[in-house]
Amino acid sequence: MLFARFILALVLIGGPALHSTDVFAQDVDDILGGFDDEESGDDAEPDKGIDDPTDEPTERFWDLTGAINLASSYAYNADHPAPGQPDYRGLTRLQAELSLQLDLDLPGGWQSRIAGRGYRDYFYAVEGRSDFSNEVLDAHERENEFQEIWLRGALSENLDLKFGRQIVNWGRSDNLRVIDVLNPVDRREPGLVDIEDLRLPVTMTRLDYFFGAWQLTGVAVHETRFDTGSAPGSEFLPASSFFSIPERTPGNGGQDTEWALALTGIFSGWDMSLHWARFYDDRPHGVGPGFLPSGLEHSRISMYGISGQKVMGNVLWKTEVAFFDGLDFFEPSPKERGRLDAMIGMEYSGFDEGSVAIEIVNRRTTRFDSVLENALNQTRRNRVEASLRYSADFWNQSLHFTAIFLSFGAHAQDGAILRAQLTYDVRDALSVTGGILMYEEGEFPPMDQIPHKDRLFLSAKYSF
């Protein structure tokens, strides 16, 4: 049903761009834009505005930028709450956020960045804070944190160093994750924003050695940080926690340091890379005899991966394959298992001001046993995930349309998400976004707990 709605949205809103197809209009260089950029867009060089005649005659060594974002959501088909639970019908978000970023050009060609953000969701004050548990308020009402804080520069002609809180994205996929394992993500409101906006920075030391067309990268992750999920009793996890199980979380640095290596080659029209990582599983498993564990721990996982991209005309093909070794689950007699993840995707950019991207991932668990399908593990032998994304620009690129459909399970039996949105650039520094977000119920959490949570969303962002 959600997929049918997705196609209808494309026809009604994106149709004009599809009909104006010019399959040869897109230059290959545009397709390759950012081809050799492994890092997130957050690492893009700041605009120093050196061509602006209003600039001061002397070049500044610092650049301060920021944004104010006001966002709201309205759940239009939510169910009546159960007795004792908060009411998430109607308004579900009324958030004000301020983000600041200071970039510094230091002596010797070194650079530094300090970025942070803070937000408060006034929905909880409007509804009445006494209706929510302290756990929900702590996780969802407000947050202030430093994000990227790093220092980078060249140690020699071929060797670069970057140290501090940062984001390292090795994945080729835009919507599904395979080898993109170094940074956790924020999962508190599923499907509302893209993965690139969900990654959470962690403290790392990164060394890059360049030789010919190759780049060898070594990463030491000093900060242990796992995915941020919804708090029990919140909108997307309505069940409250009746008891807590002590969880052992790895420390920061020392013997709990996570490690990663990558060898990347960039050639004319294609690239490839090999990956290895030794890190902690975000998802804990139970320890102790029986099905009811006496404690929770995070397994140490090894990942061996390969990825690549190739341009053929107006089509960018991409693939990622990774094997994860050392997975643990909730079971009476623990057995370490593995999982093979394989992704193939393509992006067609031949439309006039538009593009379509399709990605499919299959995750196969080795040494599978039926115990892995129980309520604690929620794992299948094979799990297929797919994404279909359409993007187009209108009105001299001042109006941007995006529609994305995510399917979990070969027949979406594990749930689906559809998001369609329009962003209008009112002026260079001001944009307004509105859209709709719909969920299809699945058999496994969290998708089994999000039926009737479809919503409209609206936001305004002022950048300075």
Side-chain angles (χ1 to χ4, degrees):
M1 180 62 72
L2 273 182
F3 184 77
R5 295 175 182 174
F6 178 81
I7 297 300
L8 179 60
L10 291 185
V11 172
L12 293 178
I13 304 178
L18 285 170
H19 287 297
S20 57
T21 301
D22 180 0
V23 296
F24 300 108
Q26 184 70 33
D27 190 280
V28 170
D29 289 341
D30 293 337
I31 301 173
L32 286 170
F35 206 59
D36 56 353
D37 184 6
E38 296 179 348
E39 302 173 339
S40 72
D42 292 338
D43 282 332
E45 289 293 329
D47 181 8
K48 300 297 191 296
I50 57 176
D51 295 329
D52 189 339
T54 61
D55 280 357
E56 299 176 0
T58 57
E59 187 175 351
R60 293 188 314 195
F61 71 94
W62 58 272
D63 188 63
L64 179 63
T65 58
I68 298 173
N69 191 42
L70 306 176
S72 64
S73 297
Y74 183 87
Y76 57 84
N77 68 341
D79 293 329
H80 193 282
Q85 290 193 341
D87 190 352
Y88 287 103
R89 294 173 297 171
L91 182 70
T92 58
R93 188 167 63 125
L94 189 60
Q95 182 175 300
E97 177 180 315
L98 171 65
S99 59
L100 295 171
Q101 178 174 306
L102 175 64
D103 289 289
L104 301 172
D105 289 328
L106 303 177
W110 286 70
Q111 296 177 314
S112 181
R113 171 174 295 175
I114 303 172
R117 70 159 190 163
Y119 76 79
R120 179 169 182 180
D121 194 336
Y122 291 94
F123 156 73
Y124 298 93
V126 172
E127 288 293 316
R129 299 181 73 250
S130 59
D131 293 342
F132 303 91
S133 67
N134 291 333
E135 195 172 7
V136 171
L137 294 175
D138 291 343
H140 297 272
E141 185 183 30
R142 66 177 68 192
E143 187 172 84
N144 299 298
E145 70 162 355
F146 283 107
Q147 295 175 297
E148 291 183 277
I149 305 178
W150 48 254
L151 173 70
R152 72 178 175 193
L155 297 178
S156 68
E157 182 178 355
N158 298 325
L159 183 63
D160 289 351
L161 167 69
K162 186 175 180 180
F163 172 75
R165 252 194 167 193
Q166 56 190 290
I167 292 174
V168 176
N169 173 24
W170 283 339
R172 310 296 187 192
S173 171
D174 293 322
N175 304 300
L176 304 171
R177 305 181 81 196
V178 175
I179 61 173
D180 176 25
V181 297
L182 296 184
N183 289 91
V185 295
D186 188 339
R187 301 182 183 276
R188 282 177 287 189
E189 194 161 1
L192 184 62
V193 296
D194 296 336
I195 286 180
E196 64 179 348
D197 298 319
L198 295 177
R199 294 188 184 94
L200 302 172
V202 294
T203 304
M204 308 178 188
T205 298
R206 172 176 176 165
L207 288 170
D208 292 288
Y209 181 72
F210 303 90
F211 55 102
W214 296 90
Q215 175 181 347
L216 178 62
T217 301
V219 176
V221 182
H222 312 293
E223 178 184 3
T224 298
R225 190 178 190 186
F226 296 120
D227 292 352
T228 300
S230 299
S234 63
E235 182 183 13
F236 288 94
L237 190 58
S240 300
S241 57
F242 296 99
F243 59 91
S244 61
I245 301 175
E247 178 178 346
R248 178 198 174 274
T249 55
N252 297 318
Q255 62 181 5
D256 290 327
T257 300
E258 299 175 323
W259 304 92
L261 284 173
L263 178 64
T264 304
I266 301 175
F267 310 97
S268 178
W270 66 283
D271 71 9
M272 62 86 63
S273 56
L274 302 173
H275 301 269
W276 170 83
R278 181 76 172 157
F279 62 102
Y280 284 100
D281 192 354
D282 284 282
R283 180 174 168 174
H285 67 277
V287 293
F291 277 99
L292 187 60
S294 58
L296 300 176
E297 288 185 356
H298 295 263
S299 301
R300 190 90 158 177
I301 298 175
S302 296
M303 183 203 73
Y304 310 90
I306 183 172
S307 68
Q309 297 182 125
K310 181 174 178 56
V311 175
M312 300 179 68
N314 290 310
V315 178
L316 173 64
W317 294 94
K318 47 192 172 184
T319 185
E320 299 178 32
V321 179
F323 181 73
F324 298 85
D325 188 30
L327 297 173
D328 287 301
F329 295 90
F330 289 87
E331 51 187 334
S333 301
K335 302 174 184 175
E336 285 196 352
R337 305 171 196 271
R339 195 183 71 229
L340 179 65
D341 293 359
M343 184 280 292
I344 186 169
M346 60 83 71
E347 180 176 348
Y348 178 74
S349 303
F351 301 125
D352 185 14
E353 306 290 351
S355 65
V356 172
I358 301 173
E359 297 171 349
I360 300 174
V361 172
N362 184 69
R363 307 185 194 275
R364 181 178 179 83
T365 302
T366 63
R367 303 181 67 191
F368 188 82
D369 191 287
S370 58
V371 70
L372 303 187
E373 293 183 316
N374 65 26
L376 292 175
N377 293 308
Q378 302 136 15
T379 300
R380 298 188 186 279
R381 183 191 302 273
N382 281 297
R383 173 166 169 146
V384 176
E385 300 175 8
S387 70
L388 174 61
R389 182 190 187 98
Y390 173 71
S391 302
D393 297 325
F394 307 94
W395 299 352
N396 295 322
Q397 299 189 342
S398 62
L399 182 64
H400 316 283
F401 171 71
T402 301
I404 181 168
F405 176 75
L406 299 172
S407 172
F408 306 102
H411 304 285
Q413 70 272 21
D414 294 332
I417 298 175
L418 168 64
R419 172 164 56 92
Q421 67 179 53
L422 280 169
T423 298
Y424 178 60
D425 299 328
V426 180
R427 49 189 296 187
D428 288 344
L430 177 63
S431 63
V432 177
T433 299
I436 187 170
L437 184 60
M438 292 184 284
Y439 301 97
E440 189 76 24
E441 183 179 5
E443 297 178 358
F444 285 161
M447 301 302 291
D448 66 335
Q449 301 187 44
I450 61 173
H452 304 149
K453 289 182 169 43
D454 300 345
R455 63 202 53 224
L456 304 172
F457 57 91
L458 179 67
S459 66
K461 182 177 182 180
Y462 177 75
S463 303
F464 54 90

